[in-house]
């Protein structure tokens, strides 16, 4: 894609295989828990560009990724992983204190 190009966040999450379905990707965005470059996002049509830092809860973990490239299609998992770089993955996002 060209420099300055953008893609919808739900489509990026789905094509990069961070979400199993596009409707699951839309739900992640519309919950209001997703942040793009520190700004809260409540709509699945929010644009994401190369270099954006995206943070969101997924499967009990907080994922923080940097967009490395915008995918041209929903390809195999290896192709999807090449579209982003994991910055932080934290465990236990529940509000309860861990027990010993």
């Amino acid at each position: 894609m060209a420099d300055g190009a953008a893609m919808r966040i739900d489509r990026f999450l789905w094509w990069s295989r961070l979400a199993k379905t596009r409707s699951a990707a839309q739900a992640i965005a519309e919950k209001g828990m997703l942040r793009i470059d520190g700004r809260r996002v409540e709509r699945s049509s929010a644009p994401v560009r190369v270099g954006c830092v995206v943070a969101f809860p997924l499967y009990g973990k907080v994922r923080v990724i940097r967009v490395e490239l915008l995918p041209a299609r929903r390809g195999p998992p290896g192709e999807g992983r090449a579209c982003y770089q994991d910055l932080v993955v934290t465990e236990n996002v529940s509000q309860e204190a861990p027990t010993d």
Side-chain angles (χ1 to χ4, degrees):
M1 298 204 157
D3 290 336
M7 175 182 276
R8 290 173 55 117
I9 187 65
D10 62 335
R11 194 169 166 197
F12 175 80
L13 293 174
W14 181 47
W15 280 14
S16 61
R17 294 191 171 260
L18 289 165
K20 291 183 181 183
T21 64
R22 182 141 182 208
S23 59
Q26 289 171 336
I28 290 169
E30 291 172 356
K31 281 183 188 176
M33 302 292 286
L34 186 135
R35 294 182 182 275
I36 298 175
D37 292 334
R39 290 174 310 205
R40 186 173 173 206
V41 172
E42 292 181 338
R43 55 192 174 91
S44 58
S45 63
V48 66
R49 293 174 176 78
V50 172
C52 287
V53 175
V54 180
F56 57 97
L58 185 67
Y59 307 123
K61 299 177 183 178
V62 174
R63 300 284 306 260
V64 181
I65 63 168
R66 179 182 302 119
V67 178
E68 297 293 326
L69 63 96
L70 298 176
R73 66 185 184 121
R74 186 169 197 262
E79 193 175 305
R81 278 190 300 273
C83 296
Y84 62 91
Q85 177 186 5
D86 268 314
L87 301 178
V88 178
V89 178
T90 58
E91 302 287 334
N92 191 13
V93 295
S94 70
Q95 299 298 317
E96 300 174 13
T99 58
D100 291 328

